Amino acid sequence: MAASLESDQPAPHGLTPREIAVLDFEREWTRHVGAKEEAIREVFGLSAARYYQVLNTVIDSPHAVRRDPMLIKRLQRARDARVQTRAARTLTSSRQVDRAPRPLPDETTD
């Protein structure tokens, strides 16, 4: 299936065949046996990281919103939640570093 999805030429509705396939996959990926990452590699021939880069680009497209607004809004909400969780973790980690004990100044006398 990956070979037929390589065309990056947009169709009249503004989405490429691969972008449409990504949206279809996101809508129905639970039907695939095994882990999602394995299904991504099998269906698209992409690493999971590259697939998610493509997906994030697609869900920001107004063409995708027009094609399937409910799916796109769900995917955008999920992405936004992950970004907020990651930011909260980073903020918590940086605060813990700020609270780390600092060495005392050297108290040697001359």
Side-chain angles (χ1 to χ4, degrees):
M1 184 174 188
S4 65
L5 302 177
E6 291 179 8
S7 173
D8 286 332
Q9 296 301 317
H13 48 72
L15 295 172
T16 66
R18 180 170 76 168
E19 291 168 337
I20 293 168
V22 165
L23 293 177
D24 292 343
F25 180 82
E26 282 298 315
R27 189 179 308 103
E28 301 176 7
W29 79 266
T30 54
R31 294 181 187 178
H32 294 273
V33 177
K36 185 175 183 181
E37 288 75 19
E38 292 172 18
I40 288 168
R41 185 166 301 282
E42 180 182 315
V43 172
F44 297 100
L46 298 173
S47 69
R50 179 65 186 132
Y51 171 82
Y52 286 112
Q53 289 173 339
V54 170
L55 176 63
N56 282 321
T57 300
V58 172
I59 67 175
D60 287 335
S61 164
H63 300 293
V65 173
R66 282 193 294 275
R67 180 175 177 86
D68 194 338
M70 290 178 61
L71 173 66
I72 299 306
K73 292 298 181 187
R74 179 176 60 83
L75 294 171
Q76 289 173 338
R77 280 193 307 271
R79 178 184 59 187
D80 294 346
R82 283 190 305 275
V83 167
Q84 286 179 342
T85 300
R86 192 175 307 123
R89 254 188 279 135
T90 302
L91 182 60
T92 302
S93 297
S94 67
R95 285 184 180 167
Q96 290 173 350
V97 169
D98 289 344
R99 292 182 185 162
R102 297 199 171 129
L104 296 173
D106 191 11
E107 296 182 347
T108 58
T109 56
D110 294 13

